[in-house]
Amino acid sequence: MGAFMTIDAVTLHGIINQDNLVLIDVRNDDEVARGVIQGAQHIPLASLPQLFDKLSKKSSIVFYCHSGVRSAHAASYLAEQDYKDVYNLAGGIIAWANAGYTFSALK
């Protein structure tokens, strides 16, 4: 697996409004319909190989899913494509909710 970093929900909440942060939800459409972390883009994990090159290598990219497993695969994939600033949200959206943070509708 490619090298990526792990970020927890509290840390992500503190940096979520940084200009160079790109937040990507890799869950399926039916999961995303229930709500996303505000500001997230939706790129289903299966679509990542076709769409990853639209992501800037200058950005900090944070992936999340339901529990952190699929997003770890996404983060690893991007790291293998020479992206340097790649993170996986530990515990996924479950950890985000458990930390008391809210969701919004996908824009």
Side-chain angles (χ1 to χ4, degrees):
M1 285 176 77
F4 61 88
M5 295 160 280
T6 300
I7 190 168
D8 62 39
V10 174
T11 305
L12 176 59
H13 189 263
I15 65 167
I16 202 158
N17 292 319
Q18 290 182 358
D19 288 341
N20 68 334
L21 184 97
V22 177
L23 185 61
I24 300 176
D25 188 321
V26 297
R27 297 176 300 157
N28 298 327
D29 291 349
D30 60 324
E31 294 173 290
V32 168
R34 294 184 215 131
V36 299
I37 297 173
Q38 187 165 352
Q41 299 175 34
H42 180 218
I43 300 178
L45 184 58
S47 301
L48 191 62
Q50 292 81 36
L51 300 174
F52 79 90
D53 58 354
K54 293 181 177 156
L55 302 171
S56 170
K57 289 189 177 183
K58 295 179 180 149
S59 297
S60 297
I61 301 172
V62 179
F63 289 103
Y64 73 91
C65 62
H66 184 69
S67 65
V69 176
R70 286 173 287 176
S71 52
H73 289 289
S76 176
Y77 180 81
L78 231 64
E80 288 169 1
Q81 312 305 317
D82 289 327
Y83 284 75
K84 304 293 183 220
D85 205 7
V86 180
Y87 299 85
N88 179 41
L89 176 58
I93 204 161
I94 295 172
W96 182 262
N98 287 344
Y101 302 128
T102 58
F103 307 100
S104 63
L106 184 66
K107 294 198 173 21

